[in-house]
């Protein structure tokens, strides 16, 4: 997932550069309808990429929280004496 996050960051930066290039090219003259459509498509793609990027970040955060909880829970059980581990298991059920 972290590699996908990196890929999405790079894709967003790439689209941002394309948008900047088009905007700069038509800074002092009116763009054609084709250029306007291309620019609109780039803006839309950029928004989609940003949403995907945020979803990946949220997923990574959730996975890290679950991992931390799981590890801390495992460590707590690991250090309980055998009798307390057995009673702790029975209390859950």
């Amino acid at each position: 997932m972290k590699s996908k996050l990196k890929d999405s960051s790079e894709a967003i930066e790439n689209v941002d550069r394309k948008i900047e290039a088009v905007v700069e090219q038509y800074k002092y003259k009116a763009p054609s309808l084709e250029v306007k459509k291309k620019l609109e498509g780039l803006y839309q793609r950029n928004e989609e990429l940003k949403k995907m990027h945020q979803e990946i970040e949220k997923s990574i955060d959730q996975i890290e929280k679950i991992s931390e909880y799981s590890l801390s829970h495992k460590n707590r059980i690991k250090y309980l004496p055998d009798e307390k581990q057995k009673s702790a298991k029975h209390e859950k059920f």
Side-chain angles (χ1 to χ4, degrees):
M1 289 190 98
K2 287 190 178 187
S3 69
K4 286 189 178 200
L5 186 65
K6 182 181 176 189
D7 292 345
S8 70
S9 291
E10 290 172 0
I12 290 168
E13 289 174 14
N14 188 23
V15 173
D16 282 339
R17 282 192 296 273
K18 287 180 181 180
I19 290 170
E20 285 179 30
V22 171
V23 168
E24 187 64 31
Q25 184 179 1
Y26 291 95
K27 193 174 188 175
Y28 299 109
K29 59 183 175 181
S32 66
L33 182 59
E34 183 181 328
V35 171
K36 286 181 182 180
K37 286 183 179 183
K38 181 179 179 181
L39 191 56
E40 187 177 307
L42 288 172
Y43 278 121
Q44 186 177 18
R45 182 171 180 208
N46 200 23
E47 287 303 311
E48 291 170 0
L49 288 170
K50 286 179 181 179
K51 286 179 185 176
M52 181 180 72
H53 185 82
Q54 289 173 344
E55 289 175 13
I56 293 170
E57 282 181 326
K58 286 179 185 177
S59 295
I60 289 173
D61 287 345
Q62 289 174 343
I63 290 169
E64 287 175 346
K65 286 179 183 178
I66 290 169
S67 294
E68 289 173 11
Y69 174 78
S70 177
L71 182 61
S72 68
H73 183 68
K74 183 179 177 182
N75 287 337
R76 278 187 271 139
I77 290 176
K78 186 177 180 180
Y79 293 114
L80 287 176
D82 287 337
E83 292 176 17
K84 288 188 178 181
Q85 282 185 22
K86 289 178 185 176
S87 67
K89 286 180 183 178
H90 291 291
E91 288 175 9
K92 289 182 183 177
F93 300 104

